[in-house]
Structure formats: structure tokens, C-alpha cells
Amino acid sequence: MDFITLDEKIRKLIAAIETTSEFNLDNIGTESGLGEDAAALYKAYFAARGLVTRATINFFRIGLQDTLIFIHGKYPFMRALNEAFEDLLSLPGSYLVSLGRPLGQSLLITRHLIPKGIFEDYIDEFDKLIDKGIITSYEVMESAWPAERYSLDPSVFDYTTGSWKRGSYSSLTEREVIKVDSAPVPFDDVDLKILTMLKKSAATSLRGMAVAMGLSVDDVIFHLKEHVLGKGDPKRSMVKKYYVDFIEPGLFASNTMVVSLIAEPSGNPDELLKRVAAIPYALAIWQGKDGGVYASLYAPLEATYAIFHEIGNMGLDLKLKDLTGYIAPWYYWNILGSLRSPASLDRNYRGGNWVFEKEWLVDLVDNKVKQYAGE
């Protein structure tokens, strides 16, 4: 795939995509001021290069709790534990979204989207792992705001050469942190199927959705307009925003590093959130119910020192209680799709209930541990 240059028109197109309440090229043309040219530009610059526009789901609308679980394990079991969680990424009924293990540490960083009705049962699985002696401890951090994800800023990533710009430490452009209403809304199986398709590609046609679900186009339009998009009311929409996915096609350079930032404030949490959002290369940021701030950064090796220098100064200024950064090479960070929802979201909800099989994690880890013990 050849890399692309983002000129002024393409920037306007991206801005319109990320702020529209309903993705279609007519809306994008109007909101970007590009009119009928928007469709041709979209096809030439994005569709032709395999760049997909996706919907970011507002998980609170469907009762999913965005949760980070940090798992500390015994060294002999870490390989089995890591591979068991890798398997979970693709299993129906799993609410695991992403995981990573920093090199040289007996730690697994996992992110889950857990139905609130089964939250306690879900967490109990980790207590069972402690009882079996497989892990030593774990910490659960519930996010009050779902993670916000953004396109890479062309000012720090050169799409013409496919490499990071040296010495470029500017923040992501045209970005804001939006506090979202957490009130759930009524939904059904059809709504979740539509959401899953929008997550895979927001450009999926109404007819394509209808054929995939065995419904009429009118039925799809009703569910999309009335339920999924909340009649155009952002406070009821299950879609938080749309974005062009520059990540999945692999536009990162081979020397990209992943930094997971965890900050527990003793000062002003709102000010902390703004300061973390201003750190260059921040791709995801959210705030925990305790006021702590969690962020994922994807940065070139040459920018690592500058980032940690900025984090260090921020800690001094804001009197942080604890500030930790975990660094792992990109190739060691295991990612499901585009980190935004479980692969089987629509399959996890059946007959008006979320699917949850107890012992799912314990059995999977046990099998991996026995497998390695027999080698």
C-alpha cells in the first residue's frame, strides 16, 4: 500500500467524518464544504487505499463497563497466561478487547468491556486464578469515560514516506476530550448487529445490511435512525463518532513503541486530563472513576525521551500521587481489530441477555498451563 499525503481538502474531509452524527457522503460533503467533490475524494484517497471509516461505539449506551485489569503473575506461568488471553480475543462470549505484556515484566495489561449485570461474576474469575496460584494479584480500574481514539496527526507522521518525522513533538490536531452521558438506552439484537457492521465499515450500504440480516431496507432504516443513532440526538446515539482507520492497514513504522500511562492524581483531575491529552502521540485517553487518567501512546523511538520528559514535568506540576509508564515494542502488543469493541459484540447478546459462561478464564488458563507443563 502506498502512503498518502493529507492536503487541506483531505483534512476537511477527515474533520467532517469525525464530527458528523450520521456517516454518508452527502452529509460529509455538506459538513466539509466540499459538496459533490467529497464522494470522489473519499473514493480516491481512502476507499482505493483500503482505509476504512468505522464507527466508535458508545459502550455505556449498551451497558458495557470499560475496564482495565492489570494482572501480576508468576514468571513460569506468564507465557501460558498471555497465550490464553490471546485466545480469548477471538472467542464468542469474550469481553476482552486488548492486551499487552511489557518486556521483562510479570505483568499483563488487559482491557475489557464488561456487561454491568455480570460484572462481579466476571471479576470473580480472577480471584479463582489467585486461588490456583497462577497469578499473584490484580487491579481493576473502571473507566468513567470510554476511551476516545483519534486518527494519526499528519504533522508528526509523514504519510508520503511512511515514517515518523524526527523532532516533531506537536500534539494531535483538532482534538478534544468529550465527556459523555452514561445513561443506557433500549436496544435489541438487530441494533447490535447494525452496530457491529458500522464498526467494521461505516460505509456499509443499507441494502447490504438488510441482506446480511435477512430484513427489509425499511426495517434497517428504522433501527438505524430510531435506535442506533437515537433519532439524531447525540445524548441517545449508540455511535459516539466516526473515524478513518489509519491504524489497521499498518501505517506505523517498525520502530514504534507503545506507552501505557497510568496517573493517579492528588490534585485537579480535570486539569490532569487536559495535560495528558496534550502529550504528543496520545491515541487513547480516558478517566477512571477515581479521577485517575489512563492513556495509550504510540510513539517513534526517537520521541520516547521527550514524552517521558513531558510526563515527568507534568507530575511535578500537578503533584501526582503515582505516575507509571509501561513501554513495549509494537510487535509485542496484541491487538484485536482496531481496539474498539469485542469481535463478537452482536453474538454476545442473545434473547435479551448478555452471554457469560462461568469458568471461561480458569479453564482456558488451566489448559495452557497443563500444555506447557507437559512440554
Side-chain angles (χ1 to χ4, degrees), residues 20 27 42 121 251 253 258 295 302 314:
T20 189
N27 283 354
Y42 183 85
D121 286 340
L251 295 186
V258 175
E302 62 268 15
M314 183 174 62

Side-chain angles (χ1 to χ4, degrees), residues 13 16-17 20 22-40 42:
L13 201 62
I17 289 170
T20 189
E22 179 179 354
F23 178 82
N24 63 62
L25 292 176
D26 289 337
N27 283 354
I28 301 306
T30 301
E31 294 172 20
S32 65
L34 297 172
E36 295 180 357
D37 291 343
Y42 183 85

Side-chain angles (χ1 to χ4, degrees), residues 230-278:
K231 300 180 180 180
D233 181 358
K235 292 185 177 181
R236 293 185 59 81
S237 178
M238 296 180 183
V239 174
K240 187 189 304 180
K241 65 179 290 186
Y242 299 91
Y243 63 95
V244 179
D245 193 348
F246 291 108
I247 301 172
E248 197 157 292
L251 295 186
F252 285 106
S254 59
N255 64 350
T256 301
M257 299 290 280
V258 175
V259 181
S260 179
L261 169 68
I262 310 161
E264 298 179 14
S266 57
N268 186 333
D270 292 332
E271 180 62 25
L272 175 63
L273 189 70
K274 293 176 183 177
R275 290 287 294 276
V276 174

Side-chain angles (χ1 to χ4, degrees), residues 169-205:
Y169 303 126
S170 62
S171 299
L172 295 179
T173 57
E174 298 176 351
R175 183 177 62 179
E176 60 182 8
V177 179
I178 304 172
K179 185 174 181 178
V180 296
D181 186 341
S182 61
V185 297
F187 63 90
D188 58 24
D189 301 61
V190 173
D191 300 329
L192 288 188
K193 288 178 181 178
I194 291 175
L195 270 177
T196 299
M197 285 187 270
L198 292 177
K199 181 195 70 102
K200 292 177 180 176
S201 174
T204 304
S205 68

Side-chain angles (χ1 to χ4, degrees), residues 108-253:
L108 197 63
I109 305 172
T110 64
R111 179 169 172 246
H112 311 250
L113 294 168
I114 308 171
K116 294 179 181 179
I118 63 170
F119 192 88
E120 292 184 4
D121 286 340
Y122 194 93
I123 299 302
D124 282 347
E125 295 296 304
F126 295 90
D127 290 325
K128 294 173 185 176
L129 288 178
I130 293 178
D131 293 341
K132 285 183 169 286
I134 294 173
I135 68 174
T136 56
S137 64
Y138 68 91
E139 293 92 40
V140 177
M141 299 182 180
E142 299 176 36
S143 170
W145 300 352
E148 295 284 354
R149 302 194 178 272
Y150 306 90
S151 305
L152 291 178
D153 178 6
S155 70
V156 296
F157 188 85
D158 187 349
Y159 289 101
T160 60
T161 62
S163 61
W164 297 97
K165 294 180 180 178
R166 289 184 175 275
S168 180
Y169 303 126
S170 62
S171 299
L172 295 179
T173 57
E174 298 176 351
R175 183 177 62 179
E176 60 182 8
V177 179
I178 304 172
K179 185 174 181 178
V180 296
D181 186 341
S182 61
V185 297
F187 63 90
D188 58 24
D189 301 61
V190 173
D191 300 329
L192 288 188
K193 288 178 181 178
I194 291 175
L195 270 177
T196 299
M197 285 187 270
L198 292 177
K199 181 195 70 102
K200 292 177 180 176
S201 174
T204 304
S205 68
L206 295 172
R207 185 171 297 279
M209 292 183 187
V211 170
M213 292 185 287
L215 299 174
S216 69
V217 173
D218 287 343
D219 285 338
V220 171
I221 291 174
F222 173 81
H223 280 271
L224 179 65
K225 301 278 189 182
E226 297 293 314
H227 296 173
V228 176
L229 300 180
K231 300 180 180 180
D233 181 358
K235 292 185 177 181
R236 293 185 59 81
S237 178
M238 296 180 183
V239 174
K240 187 189 304 180
K241 65 179 290 186
Y242 299 91
Y243 63 95
V244 179
D245 193 348
F246 291 108
I247 301 172
E248 197 157 292
L251 295 186
F252 285 106

Side-chain angles (χ1 to χ4, degrees), residues 275-324:
R275 290 287 294 276
V276 174
I279 297 176
Y281 309 106
L283 193 66
I285 178 170
W286 60 102
Q287 187 174 39
K289 291 182 177 179
D290 59 356
V293 174
Y294 313 100
S296 294
L297 301 93
Y298 298 84
L301 289 175
E302 62 268 15
T304 305
Y305 173 80
I307 287 175
F308 276 92
H309 178 73
E310 171 67 22
I311 292 174
N313 288 339
M314 183 174 62
L316 292 174
D317 294 345
L318 298 179
K319 298 180 181 180
L320 300 182
K321 183 170 64 177
D322 183 44
L323 187 66
T324 307

